[in-house]
Amino acid sequence: MFKVNYYICVSKPNKNIFNCIKSILKQTKQSKAEIYIIINSKKKILDKKNIIDLNKKNTKINFATEKKIGIPFARNKCLEIMKSTCSDFTCLIDDDGILPKTWLSNMFKALNQTNSDIITGPQISKTKNLYEVVLERHAKHNSKVNWAATNNVFMKSKIISNIKIKFDTELKNLGCDDQLFFSQLNLKGYKIYWNKYSPVFENRDQSKSNFSWFIKRNARFGSSTKIIYTKLYGPLNGIFYIIPKFSIEFLKSLYYLLLLPFNFKLNSLFFIQYFIRSFFTALSIFGIKIKEYKT
């Protein structure tokens, strides 16, 4: 029987964490498992006893604390734990994510079909909030991709023991440190594939998924570009990689601008998304960036 470890970072009180853990426990019939909850806060934000009470025969729930505030610090705490524990496979899930019952079994199927090192998949909003729908990432099933997001990752644990790469704390105010981390693994030859049959369903507080949040998130995505590309390819080559990225996103914005008459509400959001991304991608070249996360 395989050993599968799950890692969840929590930075604020979240009632959805119980549903997240329960959905993980439904996977553990197929494997032994440990769940690690990394608390990225100086305050008490979780009732640990209630969570520990969810323990099952083949599963143990553990807690760790990272007091340096910022998601890259919490994710680096995960890496420390991964290096000091034994498991066959490692999973990264957001604290508001819900795994369907077939998530793990479909991950194993994708692993066998692709002979990959890392598998990622979609994160889908349970509420079908239009802002979140537009932001959802899509790819062809079993296709190779360049990076993964920590909201839905299944990978061979031996990868972590073989690398010195960490989540970049320079991105603590922007996000996208997971994009950089997995892009670096990809450049080192680790294969990342997309599995559309293992989605994670996001149960976000909908009061925060509004137009302002949508604009800021896309602005952050563009603002992180220079840091990501220069870390991947070097200061000079990184700038040259930014130019085609800007061009593609700007052309996508024009494409959705032309589609406005066919579905104004949806296509206007796609237009805004790619225009904002291209605009802040261009600004990032000159070191101008938005900061949304507060430390």
Side-chain angles (χ1 to χ4, degrees):
M1 184 178 283
F2 290 117
K3 172 78 178 299
V4 183
N5 284 359
Y6 298 81
Y7 295 84
I8 309 167
C9 297
V10 184
S11 61
K12 55 189 175 183
N14 187 345
K15 62 183 179 181
N16 294 317
I17 187 71
F18 292 95
N19 292 327
C20 177
I21 294 169
K22 288 177 182 177
S23 74
I24 292 173
L25 294 175
K26 291 177 182 178
Q27 319 294 317
T28 59
K29 293 178 181 179
Q30 308 164 55
S31 62
K32 291 183 179 179
E34 285 195 60
I35 300 171
Y36 289 87
I37 300 172
I38 290 76
I39 301 169
N40 188 214
S41 175
K42 297 177 182 179
K43 302 177 181 179
K44 182 180 178 181
I45 58 173
L46 289 178
D47 187 334
K48 294 182 182 179
K49 184 182 181 303
N50 286 346
I51 292 176
I52 291 172
D53 287 343
L54 297 174
N55 269 320
K56 285 192 172 183
K57 183 178 179 181
N58 287 336
T59 308
K60 181 182 179 183
I61 301 174
N62 308 277
F63 295 89
T65 301
E66 176 52 67
K67 292 187 177 180
K68 290 182 181 178
I69 304 303
I71 192 62
F73 296 111
R75 288 168 177 165
N76 284 332
K77 187 69 173 182
C78 291
L79 295 180
E80 289 179 21
I81 299 170
M82 291 173 196
K83 288 177 182 289
S84 64
T85 56
C86 294
S87 66
D88 298 294
F89 298 98
T90 293
C91 307
L92 295 167
I93 307 295
D94 280 355
D95 58 353
D96 58 2
I98 306 295
L99 307 184
K101 292 181 181 180
T102 57
W103 184 87
L104 185 60
S105 60
N106 284 332
M107 281 298 190
F108 278 120
K109 285 180 185 178
L111 184 76
N112 293 329
Q113 291 168 353
T114 61
N115 190 31
S116 55
D117 302 296
I118 303 161
I119 302 176
T120 188
Q123 184 184 50
I124 301 172
S125 171
K126 290 191 73 174
T127 60
K128 298 299 179 184
N129 179 295
L130 198 57
Y131 297 116
E132 294 182 1
V133 169
V134 170
L135 283 164
E136 286 173 8
R137 187 182 177 200
H138 300 280
K140 184 179 178 182
H141 181 60
N142 281 350
S143 63
K144 195 172 183 181
V145 293
N146 295 328
W147 59 277
T150 53
N151 56 31
N152 190 352
V153 169
F154 174 84
M155 63 184 182
K156 296 174 181 176
S157 296
K158 64 181 181 181
I159 293 172
I160 300 302
S161 61
N162 293 333
I163 63 167
K164 294 182 179 179
I165 301 169
K166 291 185 177 183
F167 291 94
D168 199 310
T169 57
E170 190 176 346
L171 288 162
K172 65 180 180 179
N173 291 321
L174 290 170
C176 297
D177 54 291
D178 50 353
Q179 179 182 340
L180 174 57
F181 177 81
F182 286 102
S183 295
Q184 289 172 316
L185 290 182
N186 181 57
L187 286 181
K188 285 189 171 293
Y190 293 103
K191 294 175 289 184
I192 308 173
Y193 279 80
W194 184 267
N195 173 18
K196 77 173 184 178
Y197 295 115
S198 288
V200 170
F201 294 101
E202 184 182 37
N203 202 17
R204 183 193 299 276
D205 180 357
Q206 293 305 297
S207 66
K208 297 180 180 179
S209 297
N210 52 33
F211 185 69
S212 175
W213 168 84
F214 178 77
I215 294 295
K216 288 178 180 179
R217 183 154 181 176
N218 282 294
R220 284 195 295 107
F221 191 90
S223 290
S224 67
T225 303
K226 183 180 178 180
I227 296 173
I228 291 173
Y229 279 62
T230 55
K231 293 291 177 72
L232 288 173
Y233 306 112
L236 184 59
N237 289 337
I239 298 299
F240 286 107
Y241 275 94
I242 293 174
I243 295 171
K245 181 178 185 292
F246 161 78
S247 301
I248 290 169
E249 289 177 341
F250 184 69
L251 288 173
K252 282 183 177 180
S253 72
L254 295 180
Y255 171 75
Y256 284 105
L257 183 63
L258 293 173
L259 292 179
L260 286 182
F262 301 99
N263 188 332
F264 182 82
K265 190 173 183 179
L266 181 64
N267 290 329
S268 63
L269 287 180
F270 275 114
F271 162 70
I272 292 169
Q273 171 168 276
Y274 289 113
F275 181 80
I276 292 293
R277 288 186 182 186
S278 64
F279 180 72
F280 279 91
T281 293
L283 289 181
S284 75
I285 297 174
F286 306 100
I288 302 172
K289 54 185 179 290
I290 189 173
K291 292 184 179 181
E292 185 186 36
Y293 291 149
K294 295 180 180 180
T295 56

